[in-house]
Amino acid sequence: MIARAALALLMLAGAAAAQVPEPDGFRGAPYNAPVPATLAGARVVDGSQALDLSEQGVPFIDAMPRVTRPKGLPPGTFWRQPVHLTIPGAIWLYDTGYERLAPVEQARLEAGLAAATGGDRAAPVVIFCRADCWQSWNAAKRAVDLGYTGVIWFPTGTDGWLDAGGADLITAEPADP
């Protein structure tokens, strides 16, 4: 009996330790790490809920960063930018989920949010990346901080979309609204 109680306490302690708390500010590197289950000021959805929102026409914003040409490649080296796949219809606001944003990235996020919501800060908008990606958490937190009240964070992003049976991902085009 005591052994079962001790085991139950260990399991509960392990589950509590596994929960990731929301940071006070924005999260920095590493960005590919377990994320919180919550985001203050935003609604959190799973894959099936994201599919429903997409069918309802709610705009989706992809916060995955853009892969750039590696520094230090010798002159004449061929480099092909990798293809980024996203949820059909999503707006790819690349580089808007870092801990700190340059003015151009901040402007891209603000213009992209305004375009996606038609300027209505209460309109719903889904922000995602992929599973265990802080880029979407940071971008969604920025949207909340900018006064958007319809922010919906989809923490499993493209992975959760596919797991829920969503349409195949498509090649993303970078947005510069």
CSV table of all heavy atoms in Angstrom, one decimal, residues 71-117:
chain,number,residue,atom,x,y,z
A,71,LYS,N,26.5,31.7,-43.6
A,71,LYS,CA,27.6,32.6,-43.7
A,71,LYS,C,28.9,31.8,-43.9
A,71,LYS,O,29.1,30.7,-43.4
A,71,LYS,CB,27.7,33.5,-42.4
A,71,LYS,CG,26.6,34.4,-42.3
A,71,LYS,CD,26.7,35.3,-41.0
A,71,LYS,CE,25.5,36.2,-41.0
A,71,LYS,NZ,25.5,37.0,-39.8
A,72,GLY,N,29.8,32.4,-44.6
A,72,GLY,CA,31.1,31.8,-44.8
A,72,GLY,C,31.2,30.8,-45.9
A,72,GLY,O,32.3,30.1,-46.1
A,73,LEU,N,30.2,30.6,-46.7
A,73,LEU,CA,30.3,29.7,-47.9
A,73,LEU,C,31.3,30.3,-48.8
A,73,LEU,O,31.3,31.5,-49.1
A,73,LEU,CB,28.9,29.5,-48.6
A,73,LEU,CG,27.9,28.6,-47.9
A,73,LEU,CD1,26.6,28.5,-48.7
A,73,LEU,CD2,28.5,27.2,-47.7
A,74,PRO,N,32.2,29.5,-49.4
A,74,PRO,CA,33.1,30.0,-50.4
A,74,PRO,C,32.4,30.6,-51.6
A,74,PRO,O,31.3,30.2,-52.0
A,74,PRO,CB,33.9,28.8,-50.8
A,74,PRO,CG,33.7,27.8,-49.7
A,74,PRO,CD,32.4,28.1,-49.1
A,75,PRO,N,33.0,31.7,-52.2
A,75,PRO,CA,32.4,32.2,-53.4
A,75,PRO,C,32.2,31.2,-54.5
A,75,PRO,O,33.0,30.3,-54.6
A,75,PRO,CB,33.4,33.3,-53.8
A,75,PRO,CG,34.3,33.6,-52.6
A,75,PRO,CD,34.2,32.3,-51.8
A,76,GLY,N,31.1,31.3,-55.1
A,76,GLY,CA,30.8,30.3,-56.2
A,76,GLY,C,30.1,29.1,-55.7
A,76,GLY,O,29.7,28.2,-56.5
A,77,THR,N,29.9,28.9,-54.4
A,77,THR,CA,29.3,27.7,-53.9
A,77,THR,C,27.8,27.8,-54.2
A,77,THR,O,27.2,28.8,-53.9
A,77,THR,CB,29.5,27.6,-52.3
A,77,THR,OG1,30.9,27.5,-52.1
A,77,THR,CG2,28.8,26.4,-51.8
A,78,PHE,N,27.2,26.8,-54.7
A,78,PHE,CA,25.8,26.7,-55.0
A,78,PHE,C,25.1,26.4,-53.7
A,78,PHE,O,25.5,25.6,-52.9
A,78,PHE,CB,25.4,25.6,-56.0
A,78,PHE,CG,25.9,26.0,-57.4
A,78,PHE,CD1,27.0,25.4,-57.9
A,78,PHE,CD2,25.2,26.9,-58.1
A,78,PHE,CE1,27.4,25.7,-59.2
A,78,PHE,CE2,25.6,27.3,-59.4
A,78,PHE,CZ,26.7,26.6,-60.0
A,79,TRP,N,24.0,27.2,-53.4
A,79,TRP,CA,23.2,27.0,-52.3
A,79,TRP,C,21.8,27.2,-52.7
A,79,TRP,O,21.4,28.2,-53.3
A,79,TRP,CB,23.6,28.0,-51.2
A,79,TRP,CG,22.8,27.7,-49.9
A,79,TRP,CD1,23.0,26.8,-49.0
A,79,TRP,CD2,21.6,28.4,-49.5
A,79,TRP,NE1,22.1,26.9,-48.0
A,79,TRP,CE2,21.2,27.9,-48.3
A,79,TRP,CE3,20.9,29.5,-50.0
A,79,TRP,CZ2,20.1,28.3,-47.6
A,79,TRP,CZ3,19.8,30.0,-49.3
A,79,TRP,CH2,19.4,29.4,-48.1
A,80,ARG,N,21.0,26.2,-52.3
A,80,ARG,CA,19.5,26.3,-52.6
A,80,ARG,C,18.8,26.4,-51.3
A,80,ARG,O,18.9,25.6,-50.5
A,80,ARG,CB,19.1,25.1,-53.4
A,80,ARG,CG,17.7,25.1,-53.9
A,80,ARG,CD,17.3,24.0,-54.7
A,80,ARG,NE,18.2,24.0,-55.9
A,80,ARG,CZ,18.2,23.0,-56.8
A,80,ARG,NH1,17.4,22.0,-56.7
A,80,ARG,NH2,19.0,23.1,-57.8
A,81,GLN,N,18.0,27.5,-51.2
A,81,GLN,CA,17.2,27.7,-50.0
A,81,GLN,C,16.2,26.6,-49.9
A,81,GLN,O,15.5,26.2,-50.9
A,81,GLN,CB,16.4,29.0,-50.1
A,81,GLN,CG,15.7,29.4,-48.8
A,81,GLN,CD,15.1,30.8,-48.8
A,81,GLN,OE1,15.2,31.5,-49.8
A,81,GLN,NE2,14.7,31.2,-47.7
A,82,PRO,N,16.1,25.9,-48.7
A,82,PRO,CA,15.1,24.8,-48.6
A,82,PRO,C,13.7,25.3,-48.7
A,82,PRO,O,13.4,26.4,-48.4
A,82,PRO,CB,15.4,24.3,-47.2
A,82,PRO,CG,16.6,25.1,-46.6
A,82,PRO,CD,16.9,26.2,-47.5
A,83,VAL,N,12.9,24.4,-49.2
A,83,VAL,CA,11.5,24.7,-49.3
A,83,VAL,C,10.8,24.6,-47.9
A,83,VAL,O,11.2,23.7,-47.1
A,83,VAL,CB,10.8,23.6,-50.3
A,83,VAL,CG1,9.3,23.7,-50.2
A,83,VAL,CG2,11.3,23.8,-51.7
A,84,HIS,N,10.0,25.5,-47.6
A,84,HIS,CA,9.2,25.5,-46.4
A,84,HIS,C,7.8,25.1,-46.7
A,84,HIS,O,7.1,25.7,-47.5
A,84,HIS,CB,9.3,26.9,-45.7
A,84,HIS,CG,8.4,27.0,-44.5
A,84,HIS,ND1,8.6,26.2,-43.4
A,84,HIS,CD2,7.3,27.7,-44.2
A,84,HIS,CE1,7.6,26.4,-42.5
A,84,HIS,NE2,6.9,27.4,-43.0
A,85,LEU,N,7.3,24.1,-46.0
A,85,LEU,CA,6.0,23.6,-46.2
A,85,LEU,C,5.1,24.1,-45.0
A,85,LEU,O,5.5,24.2,-43.9
A,85,LEU,CB,6.0,22.1,-46.2
A,85,LEU,CG,6.8,21.4,-47.3
A,85,LEU,CD1,6.7,19.9,-47.2
A,85,LEU,CD2,6.2,21.8,-48.7
A,86,THR,N,3.9,24.5,-45.4
A,86,THR,CA,3.0,25.0,-44.4
A,86,THR,C,1.5,24.6,-44.7
A,86,THR,O,1.2,23.9,-45.6
A,86,THR,CB,3.0,26.6,-44.5
A,86,THR,OG1,2.4,27.1,-43.3
A,86,THR,CG2,2.4,27.2,-45.7
A,87,ILE,N,0.7,24.9,-43.8
A,87,ILE,CA,-0.8,24.6,-43.9
A,87,ILE,C,-1.4,25.4,-45.0
A,87,ILE,O,-1.1,26.6,-45.2
A,87,ILE,CB,-1.5,25.0,-42.5
A,87,ILE,CG1,-0.9,24.0,-41.4
A,87,ILE,CG2,-3.0,24.9,-42.7
A,87,ILE,CD1,-1.4,24.4,-40.0
A,88,PRO,N,-2.2,24.7,-45.9
A,88,PRO,CA,-2.8,25.4,-47.0
A,88,PRO,C,-3.5,26.7,-46.5
A,88,PRO,O,-4.3,26.7,-45.6
A,88,PRO,CB,-3.8,24.4,-47.6
A,88,PRO,CG,-3.2,23.1,-47.2
A,88,PRO,CD,-2.6,23.3,-45.8
A,89,GLY,N,-3.2,27.8,-47.3
A,89,GLY,CA,-3.9,29.1,-47.0
A,89,GLY,C,-3.2,29.9,-45.9
A,89,GLY,O,-3.5,31.1,-45.7
A,90,ALA,N,-2.2,29.4,-45.3
A,90,ALA,CA,-1.5,30.1,-44.2
A,90,ALA,C,-0.6,31.2,-44.8
A,90,ALA,O,-0.1,31.1,-45.9
A,90,ALA,CB,-0.6,29.2,-43.3
A,91,ILE,N,-0.5,32.3,-44.0
A,91,ILE,CA,0.4,33.4,-44.3
A,91,ILE,C,1.7,33.1,-43.6
A,91,ILE,O,1.7,33.0,-42.3
A,91,ILE,CB,-0.2,34.7,-43.8
A,91,ILE,CG1,-1.5,35.0,-44.5
A,91,ILE,CG2,0.8,35.9,-44.1
A,91,ILE,CD1,-2.4,36.0,-43.8
A,92,TRP,N,2.8,33.1,-44.3
A,92,TRP,CA,4.1,32.8,-43.7
A,92,TRP,C,4.8,34.1,-43.3
A,92,TRP,O,5.4,34.8,-44.1
A,92,TRP,CB,5.0,32.0,-44.6
A,92,TRP,CG,6.3,31.6,-44.0
A,92,TRP,CD1,6.7,31.4,-42.7
A,92,TRP,CD2,7.5,31.2,-44.8
A,92,TRP,NE1,8.0,31.0,-42.6
A,92,TRP,CE2,8.5,30.9,-43.9
A,92,TRP,CE3,7.8,31.2,-46.1
A,92,TRP,CZ2,9.8,30.5,-44.2
A,92,TRP,CZ3,9.0,30.8,-46.5
A,92,TRP,CH2,10.0,30.5,-45.6
A,93,LEU,N,4.7,34.5,-42.0
A,93,LEU,CA,5.4,35.7,-41.5
A,93,LEU,C,6.7,35.2,-40.8
A,93,LEU,O,6.8,35.2,-39.6
A,93,LEU,CB,4.5,36.4,-40.5
A,93,LEU,CG,3.1,36.9,-41.1
A,93,LEU,CD1,2.3,37.6,-40.0
A,93,LEU,CD2,3.4,37.9,-42.2
A,94,TYR,N,7.6,34.9,-41.7
A,94,TYR,CA,8.9,34.3,-41.2
A,94,TYR,C,9.6,35.3,-40.3
A,94,TYR,O,9.5,36.5,-40.4
A,94,TYR,CB,9.8,34.0,-42.5
A,94,TYR,CG,10.1,35.2,-43.3
A,94,TYR,CD1,11.3,35.9,-43.1
A,94,TYR,CD2,9.3,35.6,-44.3
A,94,TYR,CE1,11.6,37.0,-43.9
A,94,TYR,CE2,9.6,36.7,-45.1
A,94,TYR,CZ,10.8,37.4,-44.9
A,94,TYR,OH,11.1,38.5,-45.6
A,95,ASP,N,10.4,34.7,-39.4
A,95,ASP,CA,11.3,35.5,-38.5
A,95,ASP,C,10.6,36.4,-37.6
A,95,ASP,O,11.2,37.4,-37.1
A,95,ASP,CB,12.4,36.3,-39.3
A,95,ASP,CG,13.3,35.4,-40.1
A,95,ASP,OD1,13.3,34.2,-39.9
A,95,ASP,OD2,14.0,35.9,-41.0
A,96,THR,N,9.3,36.1,-37.3
A,96,THR,CA,8.6,37.0,-36.3
A,96,THR,C,8.4,36.3,-35.0
A,96,THR,O,7.7,36.9,-34.1
A,96,THR,CB,7.2,37.3,-36.9
A,96,THR,OG1,6.5,36.1,-37.2
A,96,THR,CG2,7.3,38.1,-38.2
A,97,GLY,N,9.1,35.2,-34.7
A,97,GLY,CA,8.9,34.5,-33.5
A,97,GLY,C,10.2,34.5,-32.6
A,97,GLY,O,10.2,33.7,-31.7
A,98,TYR,N,11.2,35.2,-33.0
A,98,TYR,CA,12.4,35.2,-32.2
A,98,TYR,C,12.2,36.0,-30.9
A,98,TYR,O,11.2,36.7,-30.7
A,98,TYR,CB,13.6,35.9,-33.0
A,98,TYR,CG,14.1,35.0,-34.1
A,98,TYR,CD1,13.9,35.3,-35.4
A,98,TYR,CD2,14.8,33.8,-33.7
A,98,TYR,CE1,14.3,34.5,-36.4
A,98,TYR,CE2,15.2,33.0,-34.8
A,98,TYR,CZ,15.0,33.3,-36.1
A,98,TYR,OH,15.5,32.5,-37.1
A,99,GLU,N,13.1,35.8,-29.9
A,99,GLU,CA,13.1,36.5,-28.6
A,99,GLU,C,13.1,38.0,-28.8
A,99,GLU,O,12.3,38.7,-28.2
A,99,GLU,CB,14.2,36.0,-27.8
A,99,GLU,CG,14.3,36.7,-26.4
A,99,GLU,CD,15.5,36.3,-25.6
A,99,GLU,OE1,16.5,35.7,-26.2
A,99,GLU,OE2,15.4,36.5,-24.4
A,100,ARG,N,14.0,38.4,-29.7
A,100,ARG,CA,14.0,39.9,-30.0
A,100,ARG,C,13.8,40.0,-31.5
A,100,ARG,O,14.4,39.2,-32.3
A,100,ARG,CB,15.4,40.4,-29.6
A,100,ARG,CG,15.6,40.5,-28.1
A,100,ARG,CD,17.0,41.0,-27.8
A,100,ARG,NE,17.2,40.8,-26.3
A,100,ARG,CZ,17.8,39.8,-25.8
A,100,ARG,NH1,18.2,38.8,-26.6
A,100,ARG,NH2,18.0,39.7,-24.5
A,101,LEU,N,13.1,41.0,-31.9
A,101,LEU,CA,12.8,41.3,-33.3
A,101,LEU,C,13.5,42.6,-33.8
A,101,LEU,O,13.4,43.6,-33.1
A,101,LEU,CB,11.3,41.4,-33.6
A,101,LEU,CG,10.5,40.2,-33.3
A,101,LEU,CD1,9.0,40.4,-33.8
A,101,LEU,CD2,11.0,38.9,-34.0
A,102,ALA,N,14.1,42.5,-34.9
A,102,ALA,CA,14.5,43.7,-35.6
A,102,ALA,C,13.3,44.5,-36.0
A,102,ALA,O,12.2,43.9,-36.2
A,102,ALA,CB,15.4,43.4,-36.8
A,103,PRO,N,13.4,45.8,-36.3
A,103,PRO,CA,12.3,46.6,-36.7
A,103,PRO,C,11.6,46.1,-37.9
A,103,PRO,O,10.3,46.1,-38.0
A,103,PRO,CB,12.9,48.0,-36.9
A,103,PRO,CG,14.1,48.1,-36.0
A,103,PRO,CD,14.6,46.7,-36.0
A,104,VAL,N,12.3,45.5,-38.9
A,104,VAL,CA,11.7,45.0,-40.1
A,104,VAL,C,10.8,43.7,-39.7
A,104,VAL,O,9.7,43.6,-40.3
A,104,VAL,CB,12.7,44.7,-41.2
A,104,VAL,CG1,13.6,43.5,-40.8
A,104,VAL,CG2,12.0,44.4,-42.5
A,105,GLU,N,11.2,42.9,-38.8
A,105,GLU,CA,10.4,41.7,-38.4
A,105,GLU,C,9.2,42.2,-37.6
A,105,GLU,O,8.1,41.6,-37.8
A,105,GLU,CB,11.2,40.7,-37.6
A,105,GLU,CG,12.1,39.8,-38.5
A,105,GLU,CD,13.5,40.4,-38.8
A,105,GLU,OE1,13.9,41.3,-38.0
A,105,GLU,OE2,14.0,40.1,-39.9
A,106,GLN,N,9.4,43.1,-36.7
A,106,GLN,CA,8.3,43.7,-36.0
A,106,GLN,C,7.2,44.3,-36.9
A,106,GLN,O,6.0,44.0,-36.8
A,106,GLN,CB,8.7,44.7,-34.9
A,106,GLN,CG,7.6,45.3,-34.1
A,106,GLN,CD,7.1,44.3,-33.1
A,106,GLN,OE1,7.8,43.4,-32.6
A,106,GLN,NE2,5.8,44.4,-32.8
A,107,ALA,N,7.7,45.0,-37.9
A,107,ALA,CA,6.8,45.6,-38.9
A,107,ALA,C,6.1,44.5,-39.7
A,107,ALA,O,4.9,44.6,-40.0
A,107,ALA,CB,7.5,46.6,-39.8
A,108,ARG,N,6.8,43.5,-40.1
A,108,ARG,CA,6.2,42.4,-40.8
A,108,ARG,C,5.1,41.7,-40.0
A,108,ARG,O,4.0,41.4,-40.5
A,108,ARG,CB,7.3,41.3,-41.2
A,108,ARG,CG,6.7,40.2,-42.0
A,108,ARG,CD,7.7,39.1,-42.4
A,108,ARG,NE,8.9,39.7,-43.1
A,108,ARG,CZ,10.1,39.7,-42.5
A,108,ARG,NH1,10.3,39.1,-41.3
A,108,ARG,NH2,11.1,40.3,-43.1
A,109,LEU,N,5.3,41.5,-38.7
A,109,LEU,CA,4.3,40.9,-37.9
A,109,LEU,C,3.1,41.8,-37.8
A,109,LEU,O,2.0,41.3,-37.9
A,109,LEU,CB,4.9,40.6,-36.5
A,109,LEU,CG,3.9,39.9,-35.5
A,109,LEU,CD1,3.4,38.6,-36.0
A,109,LEU,CD2,4.5,39.8,-34.1
A,110,GLU,N,3.3,43.1,-37.5
A,110,GLU,CA,2.2,44.0,-37.3
A,110,GLU,C,1.4,44.1,-38.6
A,110,GLU,O,0.1,44.1,-38.5
A,110,GLU,CB,2.7,45.3,-36.8
A,110,GLU,CG,3.2,45.3,-35.4
A,110,GLU,CD,3.8,46.6,-34.9
A,110,GLU,OE1,3.5,47.7,-35.5
A,110,GLU,OE2,4.6,46.6,-33.9
A,111,ALA,N,2.1,44.2,-39.7
A,111,ALA,CA,1.3,44.4,-41.0
A,111,ALA,C,0.6,43.1,-41.3
A,111,ALA,O,-0.5,43.1,-41.8
A,111,ALA,CB,2.3,44.8,-42.1
A,112,GLY,N,1.3,41.9,-41.1
A,112,GLY,CA,0.7,40.6,-41.4
A,112,GLY,C,-0.6,40.4,-40.5
A,112,GLY,O,-1.6,39.9,-41.0
A,113,LEU,N,-0.5,40.7,-39.2
A,113,LEU,CA,-1.7,40.6,-38.4
A,113,LEU,C,-2.8,41.5,-38.8
A,113,LEU,O,-4.0,41.0,-38.9
A,113,LEU,CB,-1.3,40.9,-36.9
A,113,LEU,CG,-0.5,39.9,-36.2
A,113,LEU,CD1,0.1,40.4,-34.9
A,113,LEU,CD2,-1.3,38.6,-35.8
A,114,ALA,N,-2.5,42.7,-39.2
A,114,ALA,CA,-3.5,43.6,-39.6
A,114,ALA,C,-4.2,43.1,-40.9
A,114,ALA,O,-5.4,43.2,-41.1
A,114,ALA,CB,-2.9,45.0,-39.8
A,115,ALA,N,-3.4,42.6,-41.8
A,115,ALA,CA,-3.9,42.1,-43.1
A,115,ALA,C,-4.8,40.8,-42.8
A,115,ALA,O,-5.8,40.7,-43.4
A,115,ALA,CB,-2.8,41.7,-44.1
A,116,ALA,N,-4.3,39.9,-42.0
A,116,ALA,CA,-5.0,38.7,-41.7
A,116,ALA,C,-6.3,38.9,-41.1
A,116,ALA,O,-7.3,38.2,-41.3
A,116,ALA,CB,-4.1,37.7,-40.9
A,117,THR,N,-6.4,39.9,-40.2
A,117,THR,CA,-7.6,40.2,-39.4
A,117,THR,C,-8.5,41.3,-40.0
A,117,THR,O,-9.5,41.6,-39.4
A,117,THR,CB,-7.3,40.5,-38.0
A,117,THR,OG1,-6.5,41.8,-38.0
A,117,THR,CG2,-6.5,39.4,-37.3
